[in-house]
Amino acid sequence: MGLAENQLSFDLLESWLASNPDAVGMKRNGGSVFRELALFQDYHGLPAFKNELVKLMSKIRGDKVRFDSNKLVLTAGATSANETLMFSLADPGEAFLLPTPYYPGFDRDLKWRPDVEIVPIHCSSSNGFKITMPALEEAYERAQRLNLKVKGVLVTNPSNPLGTTLTRQELNHLITFAVAKEIHIISDEIYSGTVFDSPRFISITEAVIDRNLQETDLWSRIHIVYSLSKDLGMPGFRIGMIYSNNEKAVAAATKMSSFGLISSQTQFLLANMLADTKFTSKYMKENQRRLKKRKDMLVSGLKTAGIKCLKSNAGLFCWVDMRKLLVSNTFEAEKELWKKIIFEVGLNISPGSSCHCTEPGWFRVCFANMSEETLQVSMRRIKEFVETILIIGNGCSSKQQQRSGSVIGKWVSKLSSSDPEPDR
Amino acid sequence: MATLSKIATNDRHGENSPYFDGWKAYDRNPFHPTQNPEGVIQMGLAENQLCFDLIKEWISKNPSASICTAEGVDEFKDIANFQDYHGLPEFRQAVAKFMSRARGGRVTFDPQRVVVAGGATGANELITFCIADPGDAFLVPSPYYPAFDRDLGWRTGVKIVPVNCYSSNNFQITREAVEEAYKKAREANINVKGLIITNPSNPLGTTLHRDTLESLVNFVNENNIHLVVDEIYAATVFNSPKLVSITEVIEKMDSNINRDNIHVIYSLSKDMGLPGFRVGIVYSYNDTVVNCGRKMSSFGLISSQTQYLLASMLNDDEFVDNFLAESSKRLDKRYHTFTKGLEQIGIKCLKSNAGLFFWMNLGHLLKEQTLEGEMELWRMIINDVKLNVSPGSSFQCTEPGWFRVCFANMDDETVHVALNRIGAFVCQGQETSTQPTKKKRWQKKNDLRLSFSSRMISEESVMSPHKNMMSPHSPIPRSPLVRA
């Protein structure tokens, strides 16, 4: 339950493939395009594919924004897109502000090779972890005290790990802040197609247009990251992209994409799939319906165990409040609780500290990467575990320990394998 | 106003090199036999287009290798989900097997040491990030692949120190030259982290001798620096001598050689002609590099769809053996067609046995034996002869007049057109020239005239019956730059 994969709607994709042999067999109008594809390594990307992507992005935003395929840069996954943006917008040692909690992989994607610093914007449960103006200002000042030059803010909208979309107010704070400080805004909108409930998704672009700032400097400091890994559940295909209004950034990122281009075979398949707009509409709608159902199942399951979740409307996970299960309000206690959940309950969930949350006791729990039956099993386990903890207080009785020890099985061996990858 | 980064705004992506100007000329006016017969013929792009029929046939016969067919769609979900940076196990195994077969089975590769990367471009950058820091340097024998400046140096901040090689010994790399360059770099306080060689060589098309490789291994070992061998053209060897892979050399050398410093770069872009699929490989004997490289490969993983297809294809031993043999045959034929045709008009090429190009010497056609002279000739070749060839200077060659000419990215008809154009170009020079000194030089070539014309008429592979632009009376090459 630590891996944010979307496995709910493969049946829809599979049936599309069965009905579209041309896309599959690398044919166009019956004639083979294999040779063209095998040779195609142009870092501008397959035009047909980019055209479909901008149409898809527009549709996801309720057609409130139009995108230009010339401003789209294809990269091998959003992982590569974020790193590439760092290389393009910041020099080593410069900094980006990120609201906490944030996706743990950002530590690698932003800091590792580009050597960019992350300065967290502290968000708190007191207001549902929303971004506030004081928090933004405080982060900026902290960066200054550390002698770090802030180049921009990076937000994930919808948020990972919160599963919430940014409110209009938060977007406006970001915009006001970025205008005042003359910095970039990167909006990682990788989960934009997973919004399954109100409020509706408002993209950074829409928010800027609504403030009438398209003709100002800020416009060329707005960059969006997107991918098909979450919305279409195809992380293996490595389809990521950067959308930027900044010509120079697009030019630089395009050249950099040479280090991680998308396989032409995959570009061709997806260009065909996305061109079937009837299919993609149907898919997105159905996928969102299934995500909502699954999320509701998790939330109500946890509720019967007395566990609350942050109210969410998007994403493949819930942000779960387990603070009352902590023996003390510390990260050590969170770690202890986490170990218990992994080894005794047999559930792999992600502790808030790995997401740089400032308050201990929160966990990200994914719900879209398993069958319904498995989710039911997880719910039962959590319920039992919580009951045990709350009744006994500080741990399990020996009788309870025996019972819960039996679920250790494959989870332990899975965890002890080397090279754990950061959960997305 | 927030600026972009230094990397984004500097020139180290190298696209302002003339190497790309030729491509632009081609892009603006690409040759097509019927739709644009006067267009520019692309001879600057080292693509291998000779064996697609074999691959297409395999794909049609193996529908289950594609996750999108009825036969293969059951795997769709697992493959679409697979983003493990270790790469698909069956893909790594198949690649290790293929790498071995491409080296005649003389050496085996361990799939556990195969790291996937986004094309050789991604692989070269990745290994650089793993073994060098910003400000460090690599020794690279020249002439070398122009994009190394970008791949090794752009985002990594690493410098290239060229090790110049000369035509006097056929541009062979010598330990002495490498040592000399290393010494000079050290004296200039440059921290050299390694030596990078391409074997078979781009642009030379030659393979390194075993004793050269051994001496280079000894050199890096003694100085405790890395050796990276880019073997991207390994299976394009079409003539003897066979490729001696660095892995073969290492296996046979003493145990005092520190294998942790030896790394191989590979790809399927040239050997199989699949640059669009972005298959790059880093193969290292160093566990730390393998582990670190794996994590970095997250930034340029190969699409699982592609890994799955190729795992199946490369595991088909019969297909692979036939492909390797047939590909060599076709490359050999193409190479000889060109070099023979050029020889007949007095143009010499470096004798080579691999690659998708030959290294052509047009020094005798230069107005001046200088870089400017070479650029002038090059512009004429692009604009008047309408061939995009790559000037030696873009490969950091220190001797003007050499050009890399790609031959495997066109069909047979286009080969004829290209040869005819070159022939017309050099003959045109002879007809309009009025300089007596030049005549003297070429007098010894007079005996070529008759044999040339008769052979030209009879050799089908060179003559195009409809576009005979060759004058049978003036085969003697002259620089068209030399006019009254």
Side-chain angles (χ1 to χ4, degrees):
Chain A
M1 303 184 91
L3 193 48
E5 276 176 1
N6 183 355
Q7 295 190 21
L8 301 190
S9 304
F10 277 120
D11 58 317
L12 304 177
L13 294 171
E14 285 157 2
S15 82
W16 185 90
L17 289 168
S19 340
N20 287 271
D22 262 18
V24 172
M26 291 185 272
K27 289 194 172 68
R28 192 189 295 130
N29 301 325
S32 172
V33 292
F34 174 77
R35 183 201 177 101
E36 278 177 39
L37 288 178
L39 292 173
F40 188 84
Q41 54 171 333
D42 181 355
Y43 57 31
H44 292 99
L46 212 58
F49 183 43
K50 283 178 36 172
N51 288 336
E52 293 308 328
L53 285 171
V54 294
K55 279 199 280 191
L56 176 71
M57 285 173 73
S58 189
K59 194 194 295 194
I60 287 173
R61 288 152 185 73
D63 287 318
K64 291 198 187 298
V65 189
R66 282 252 163 276
F67 294 97
D68 174 359
S69 63
N70 291 316
K71 298 183 179 175
L72 192 70
V73 180
L74 299 181
T75 60
T79 298
S80 179
N82 280 312
E83 195 200 38
T84 297
L85 268 179
M86 285 303 113
F87 273 123
S88 304
L89 304 180
D91 290 329
E94 293 183 334
F96 262 78
L97 308 181
L98 268 67
T100 65
Y102 63 76
Y103 160 58
F106 280 149
D107 288 324
R108 170 198 61 192
D109 301 348
L110 276 53
K111 292 162 80 162
W112 193 15
R113 307 191 309 182
D115 205 13
V116 168
E117 284 298 333
I118 293 180
V119 175
I121 300 164
H122 296 311
C123 299
S124 109
S125 59
S126 58
N127 74 339
F129 296 95
K130 291 201 183 46
I131 302 170
T132 65
M133 202 45 125
L136 285 166
E137 292 287 357
E138 193 272 324
Y140 190 85
E141 278 154 32
R142 204 174 343 114
Q144 306 240 281
R145 284 197 302 275
L146 292 167
N147 270 324
L148 294 170
K149 179 163 183 210
V150 175
K151 289 309 283 281
V153 186
L154 189 155
V155 297
T156 307
N157 179 25
S159 162
N160 174 9
L162 304 177
T164 52
T165 46
L166 288 182
T167 60
R168 173 79 63 176
Q169 197 180 38
E170 287 174 285
L171 288 163
N172 279 331
H173 289 324
L174 281 171
I175 291 170
T176 304
F177 182 71
V179 168
K181 308 291 188 218
E182 294 184 85
I183 57 178
H184 297 276
I185 297 180
I186 298 176
S187 182
D188 184 342
E189 300 185 349
I190 191 176
Y191 291 99
S192 48
T194 66
V195 179
F196 47 75
D197 212 343
S198 62
R200 72 170 177 86
F201 173 62
I202 304 174
S203 166
I204 187 68
T205 320
E206 189 187 333
V208 171
I209 291 175
D210 287 348
R211 291 270 294 265
N212 238 326
L213 294 168
Q214 319 83 297
E215 305 297 323
T216 66
D217 282 346
L218 177 70
W219 190 242
S220 66
R221 300 200 302 272
I222 304 291
H223 320 277
I224 295 176
V225 168
Y226 185 52
S227 161
L228 297 187
S229 298
K230 309 296 176 181
D231 292 352
L232 289 188
M234 299 168 173
F237 292 174
R238 314 317 299 142
I239 300 168
M241 61 212 81
I242 298 168
Y243 187 89
S244 174
N245 294 315
N246 188 313
E247 254 178 52
K248 290 206 177 91
V250 169
T254 302
K255 293 177 177 67
M256 289 189 197
S257 68
S258 297
F259 301 112
L261 294 173
I262 304 177
S263 169
S264 55
Q265 180 193 17
T266 302
Q267 291 192 50
F268 182 75
L269 171 67
L270 267 302
N272 278 278
M273 200 183 276
L274 298 181
D276 189 341
T277 48
K278 237 169 102 185
F279 166 74
T280 46
S281 292
K282 178 174 143 220
Y283 176 92
M284 300 292 262
K285 245 206 205 114
E286 178 60 20
N287 184 41
Q288 284 155 16
R289 191 191 70 79
R290 294 181 190 185
L291 284 170
K292 177 169 198 317
K293 182 170 174 220
R294 206 43 96 73
K295 180 218 114 175
D296 287 344
M297 206 184 282
L298 175 64
V299 170
S300 59
L302 289 172
K303 196 172 173 193
T304 62
I307 303 284
K308 287 209 183 86
C309 299
L310 183 73
K311 185 161 174 352
S312 65
N313 63 327
L316 311 176
F317 32 73
C318 282
W319 190 234
V320 180
D321 184 357
M322 297 204 187
R323 288 178 292 178
K324 65 182 181 188
L325 301 182
L326 295 182
V327 300
S328 62
N329 186 25
T330 61
F331 286 111
E332 288 71 31
E334 178 185 279
K335 197 169 175 191
E336 286 311 310
L337 177 61
W338 179 54
K339 280 196 221 150
K340 277 210 175 77
I341 295 175
I342 293 192
F343 295 113
E344 293 176 23
V345 189
L347 298 177
N348 178 24
I349 62 178
S350 312
S353 50
S354 67
C355 302
H356 301 275
C357 185
T358 48
E359 302 170 31
W362 292 85
F363 289 78
R364 188 190 77 166
V365 180
C366 299
F367 54 72
N369 61 328
M370 63 188 73
S371 66
E372 226 170 85
E373 293 71 31
T374 311
L375 186 58
Q376 305 286 21
V377 170
S378 321
M379 299 294 86
R380 273 200 301 274
R381 287 187 192 176
I382 293 183
K383 190 154 187 267
E384 274 178 26
F385 173 68
V386 172
E387 277 165 3
T388 312
I389 292 219
L390 292 180
I391 290 169
I392 307 296
N394 233 1
C396 301
S397 67
S398 57
K399 200 170 175 195
Q400 302 288 8
Q401 263 172 339
Q402 266 172 28
R403 187 146 45 108
S404 47
S406 63
V407 304
I408 292 175
K410 67 171 182 173
W411 294 102
V412 177
S413 55
K414 215 172 176 180
L415 282 163
S416 58
S417 65
S418 58
D419 288 333
E421 296 179 50
D423 298 334
R424 171 100 208 189
Chain B
M1 166 64 174
T3 50
L4 300 190
S5 66
K6 292 195 180 82
I7 289 177
T9 47
N10 69 22
D11 253 0
R12 295 196 66 188
H13 49 71
E15 289 194 16
N16 299 328
S17 133
Y19 184 65
F20 295 97
D21 282 353
W23 288 21
K24 290 171 193 160
Y26 167 77
D27 285 339
R28 279 194 296 265
N29 183 20
F31 170 81
H32 186 279
T34 47
Q35 287 165 23
N36 189 19
E38 301 308 315
V40 175
I41 298 179
Q42 175 64 287
M43 302 187 86
L45 189 52
E47 277 175 356
N48 184 353
Q49 293 192 24
L50 303 187
C51 290
F52 281 130
D53 55 320
L54 301 177
I55 299 181
K56 274 164 66 176
E57 191 190 339
W58 188 92
I59 292 180
S60 325
K61 290 199 179 124
N62 292 272
S64 59
S66 164
I67 50 175
C68 306
T69 55
E71 293 84 345
V73 79
D74 285 345
E75 297 300 317
F76 182 84
K77 176 175 162 154
D78 287 342
I79 297 298
N81 258 334
F82 189 88
Q83 56 172 332
D84 183 348
Y85 60 37
H86 289 85
L88 213 57
E90 53 265 42
F91 176 69
R92 274 190 290 127
Q93 271 150 26
V95 163
K97 210 163 45 135
F98 181 79
M99 286 171 77
S100 176
R101 280 186 131 79
R103 289 153 182 75
R106 295 183 290 279
V107 66
T108 53
F109 290 85
D110 178 1
Q112 302 303 331
R113 299 200 167 281
V114 170
V115 177
V116 302
T121 298
N124 276 312
E125 194 198 42
L126 193 152
I127 193 70
T128 305
F129 270 123
C130 286
I131 64 181
D133 292 321
D136 287 343
F138 283 140
L139 298 172
V140 184
S142 79
Y144 63 78
Y145 166 56
F148 270 160
D149 288 311
R150 172 196 65 190
D151 300 350
L152 306 175
W154 188 23
R155 305 192 304 180
T156 58
V158 168
K159 290 199 275 273
I160 289 185
V161 172
V163 178
N164 294 324
C165 300
Y166 303 97
S167 59
S168 50
N169 73 337
N170 293 321
F171 296 98
Q172 287 175 83
I173 304 169
T174 62
R175 180 172 168 153
E176 292 68 40
V178 172
E179 268 175 349
E180 177 68 30
Y182 182 65
K183 185 162 149 270
K184 278 212 178 85
R186 294 281 302 262
E187 281 161 8
N189 267 326
I190 296 173
N191 187 29
V192 175
K193 286 308 285 280
L195 167 66
I196 300 202
I197 59 180
T198 307
N199 182 30
S201 160
N202 174 9
L204 305 176
T206 51
T207 49
L208 291 175
H209 296 299
R210 182 181 295 273
D211 37 16
T212 308
L213 286 165
E214 279 175 6
S215 72
L216 294 177
V217 170
N218 283 324
F219 168 76
V220 301
N221 198 52
E222 284 158 32
N223 291 287
N224 196 27
I225 62 175
H226 294 273
L227 175 62
V228 178
V229 186
D230 186 345
E231 297 188 349
I232 191 177
Y233 290 100
T236 65
V237 176
F238 49 78
N239 215 346
S240 64
K242 288 197 172 74
L243 174 75
V244 178
S245 167
I246 191 67
T247 45
E248 279 180 65
V249 171
I250 296 297
E251 302 286 316
K252 297 212 162 83
M253 286 179 83
D254 285 333
S255 54
N256 68 329
I257 299 293
N258 183 6
R259 293 190 186 192
D260 272 354
N261 291 344
I262 312 291
H263 323 275
V264 183
I265 301 294
Y266 188 57
S267 163
L268 298 182
S269 300
K270 310 295 178 183
D271 287 352
M272 294 199 73
L274 305 172
F277 290 3
R278 314 314 303 144
V279 177
I281 303 290
V282 174
Y283 186 90
S284 176
Y285 287 94
N286 185 320
D287 289 341
T288 309
V289 168
V290 169
N291 281 324
C292 169
R294 283 242 162 80
K295 294 176 173 66
M296 282 192 187
S297 65
S298 298
F299 300 112
L301 290 174
I302 302 172
S303 167
S304 53
Q305 178 193 16
T306 301
Q307 290 189 52
Y308 187 75
L309 173 73
L310 294 176
S312 197
M313 196 186 290
L314 299 181
N315 254 325
D316 185 340
D317 293 343
E318 206 186 307
F319 165 77
V320 166
D321 286 342
N322 180 49
F323 180 90
L324 291 173
E326 194 53 34
S327 176
S328 285
K329 244 197 336 212
R330 296 182 191 184
L331 285 168
D332 187 34
K333 182 169 177 222
R334 197 46 89 76
Y335 170 80
H336 281 101
T337 301
F338 262 111
T339 49
K340 268 213 201 79
L342 290 174
E343 210 175 33
Q344 287 166 356
I345 49 176
I347 294 182
K348 288 218 171 70
C349 302
L350 184 74
K351 185 162 168 9
S352 60
N353 62 323
L356 309 175
F357 32 73
F358 50 83
W359 190 232
M360 177 174 72
N361 186 0
L362 297 183
H364 54 293
L365 300 183
L366 297 186
K367 203 149 94 176
E368 297 166 7
Q369 295 296 320
T370 61
L371 172 62
E372 290 71 32
E374 178 182 284
M375 287 289 106
E376 217 185 317
L377 176 59
W378 179 60
R379 272 183 216 109
M380 192 168 273
I381 296 175
I382 294 200
N383 298 319
D384 298 346
V385 191
K386 302 234 179 49
L387 298 176
N388 177 31
V389 296
S390 312
S393 49
S394 63
F395 297 87
Q396 308 299 327
C397 183
T398 47
E399 296 177 29
W402 290 88
F403 291 81
R404 188 193 76 171
V405 183
C406 299
F407 58 70
N409 63 326
M410 60 187 71
D411 57 28
D412 290 333
E413 195 188 334
T414 313
V415 171
H416 302 168
V417 176
L419 277 171
N420 283 342
R421 286 187 188 181
I422 299 174
F425 172 66
V426 301
C427 294
Q428 196 183 7
Q430 201 270 328
E431 279 180 359
T432 57
S433 168
T434 55
Q435 286 199 10
T437 46
K438 288 280 180 185
K439 255 193 191 144
K440 256 196 206 151
R441 250 170 76 191
W442 301 123
Q443 261 161 10
K444 26 187 177 174
K445 305 239 178 196
N446 272 344
D447 52 314
L448 276 179
R449 200 192 306 189
L450 286 170
S451 56
F452 165 74
S453 51
S454 56
R455 275 162 74 183
M456 285 297 280
I457 290 165
S458 62
E459 214 177 303
E460 275 177 48
S461 60
V462 177
M463 292 293 279
S464 163
H466 305 292
K467 292 180 179 172
N468 184 2
M469 297 187 287
M470 300 296 301
S471 159
H473 303 296
S474 53
I476 298 167
R478 294 210 83 110
S479 171
L481 299 176
V482 179
R483 291 176 203 268

